[in-house]
Amino acid sequence: MSLKYAAIRASFELLWLTGMPRLFRLLSRSRGVIFTLHRVLPAPPADFAPNAILQVQPDFLDYCLERLGELDIDIVSLDEALQRLASSRKGRPFVVLTFDDAYRDNLQHALPILRAHEAPFTLYVPTAFVDGVGQLWWQAIEDIIARQEAVAFSEAGETEYVETRTLAQKQEAFDRLYWRMRKLPEPERLALLNDFTTAYGYDLHRQCRELIMDWQELRQFAGDPLCTIGAHTVHHYELAKLPLEQARNEMIQSVDIIEAQFGIRPKHFSYPLGGPLSCGPREFELAAELGFRTAVTTRPGGLYPHHLDKLCQLPRVSLNGYFQARRYVDVFASGGLFTQLGRLTG
């Protein structure tokens, strides 16, 4: 685990030991929090698993939902959350559960738990993923580096061979390639990804079909009355890196495709990746223009009445796979705490 995550863990321990989560729930004007989840997998992550931040184990999810009840925190839908934000009184605190990307393990491992707790949730769907032609590039580069003792990085016509024998070398190579891809324009990122995966015989479409629900499975998932289906673009591109019209098309076409499949037009949206590099004022305005009732980011924070004026830039708190200790659930559930931490870190 990196120094960054070690520092976060130390902060969580201190917050829990000092009782700050309870204090923030009592005194903060935050009314609730939206949780971000991606994968729910029974097996613990491998030693080299930089994407472990995106997965939690079923027993941790089950405990989270149980603990929320013990804390008198309601689990509500996005639509009910908006009603509670609009109320003149604070009322009971609440949590909204959201899942991104339509991973098959959500159907296998998360849905039974959600049903057992009668917990409503939203699933944000990138439609190309469900078609089986998406590119889960963050997982692809992890998979390749995990099995290689060295990888070749090509840039400006030059090729560099980087050793990946040790865990530290693998992590360094992953970080380097991940952030290079994050900072490239999307066409250049796609070209680099294609070159890298082709060089190591990695089939991105097969990976997508293995990890993501197909339309038949998604129909089973979406048919549950607890489920609200939201849009998550077509290709999961970072919208801020696209020309305006392409960004618009990614958003609206995903809605059209979901409506064609299910007969319901999604009114909630999630920005892919969701941080400052991925979405900003232009994308927030675009989501509002296209008629979404809400759009969520991955910027941390709680929900306050003033978010009724910023419904297309809502914060979320990630249930991060590196922090699955049960005592941390109290920290995760304190939206006001994350708002203050976000202000302190910029």
Side-chain angles (χ1 to χ4, degrees):
M1 185 181 298
S2 69
L3 290 176
K4 170 187 173 183
Y5 289 115
I8 294 173
R9 182 186 293 278
S11 298
F12 276 24
E13 291 287 349
L14 179 62
L15 290 166
W16 180 76
L17 286 169
T18 57
M20 290 298 289
R22 181 176 181 275
L23 186 63
F24 266 86
R25 286 194 300 275
L26 289 172
L27 301 180
S28 171
R29 294 183 63 248
S30 171
R31 298 195 175 183
V33 62
I34 304 174
F35 281 162
T36 310
L37 296 107
H38 288 82
R39 308 197 65 184
V40 180
L41 293 169
D47 290 339
F48 172 68
N51 289 302
I53 57 173
L54 301 179
Q55 67 187 68
V56 297
Q57 293 177 276
D59 60 349
F60 180 70
L61 176 61
D62 186 52
Y63 176 76
C64 283
L65 304 189
E66 177 185 325
R67 180 60 178 161
L68 292 173
E70 293 172 352
L71 295 171
D72 293 324
I73 297 174
D74 297 332
I75 304 172
V76 304
S77 68
L78 270 171
D79 290 320
E80 183 172 340
L82 298 186
Q83 294 174 12
R84 293 192 179 202
L85 286 180
S87 173
S88 59
R89 53 184 293 273
K90 185 176 179 180
R92 284 169 60 93
F94 63 85
V95 156
V96 179
L97 303 174
T98 65
F99 294 79
D100 285 11
D101 299 343
Y103 286 98
R104 181 172 284 116
D105 53 65
N106 292 178
L107 175 63
Q108 297 167 332
H109 303 298
L111 186 58
I113 296 168
L114 296 164
R115 284 173 170 167
H117 290 273
E118 299 182 348
F121 61 93
T122 296
L123 176 71
Y124 296 110
V125 178
T127 55
F129 283 20
V130 188
D131 285 334
V133 295
Q135 298 173 322
L136 286 78
W137 61 269
W138 52 94
Q139 188 63 52
I141 63 175
E142 175 186 315
D143 293 345
I144 292 170
I145 292 171
R147 69 191 189 196
Q148 296 296 132
E149 294 192 348
V151 291
F153 288 172
S154 297
E155 188 171 6
E158 298 290 331
T159 300
E160 176 187 358
Y161 291 92
V162 177
E163 286 197 3
T164 53
R165 296 176 185 274
T166 68
L167 287 176
Q169 289 171 336
K170 289 181 185 297
Q171 187 63 56
E172 183 179 353
F174 177 89
D175 291 343
R176 178 176 168 185
L177 187 54
Y178 176 89
W179 285 109
R180 183 177 167 198
M181 288 193 177
R182 287 293 309 277
K183 292 173 182 178
L184 285 174
E186 290 294 77
E188 294 178 32
R189 181 189 64 78
L190 291 171
L192 175 60
L193 177 65
N194 179 69
D195 290 346
F196 189 69
T197 54
T198 300
Y200 294 98
Y202 191 95
D203 188 335
L204 283 163
H205 290 169
R206 178 180 177 181
Q207 174 225 41
C208 183
R209 292 190 297 271
E210 290 176 348
L211 295 184
I212 302 297
M213 286 184 267
D214 60 28
W215 286 108
Q216 182 177 353
E217 291 169 315
L218 185 59
R219 191 165 284 108
Q220 176 185 345
F221 194 80
D224 194 285
L226 294 169
C227 181
T228 297
I229 290 291
H232 198 34
T233 74
V234 176
H235 295 100
H236 203 275
Y237 296 155
E238 294 184 76
L239 294 174
K241 292 159 56 172
L242 300 179
L244 177 61
E245 282 309 306
Q246 186 180 359
R248 185 195 310 275
N249 288 338
E250 278 286 323
M251 297 169 78
I252 200 67
Q253 285 177 16
S254 66
V255 172
D256 291 342
I257 292 167
I258 292 169
E259 183 179 29
Q261 288 285 344
F262 298 116
I264 298 172
R265 196 163 183 83
K267 56 186 177 181
H268 302 289
F269 182 78
S270 171
Y271 303 101
L273 281 79
L277 290 177
S278 309
C279 58
R282 187 193 72 165
E283 289 68 46
F284 303 154
E285 292 177 11
L286 190 53
E289 174 192 319
L290 293 175
F292 288 109
R293 190 175 187 198
T294 69
V296 294
T297 69
T298 55
R299 295 162 168 84
L303 293 177
Y304 299 79
H306 72 77
H307 282 115
L308 291 170
D309 298 322
K310 300 177 179 180
L311 289 177
C312 288
Q313 48 184 298
L314 295 179
R316 291 191 288 177
V317 170
S318 173
L319 283 186
N320 188 307
Y322 284 155
F323 308 106
Q324 294 186 67
R326 292 188 168 195
R327 58 190 176 277
Y328 296 159
V329 176
D330 292 32
V331 180
F332 282 124
S334 303
L337 234 175
F338 279 86
T339 301
Q340 292 302 317
L341 289 174
R343 288 171 180 165
L344 290 173
T345 58

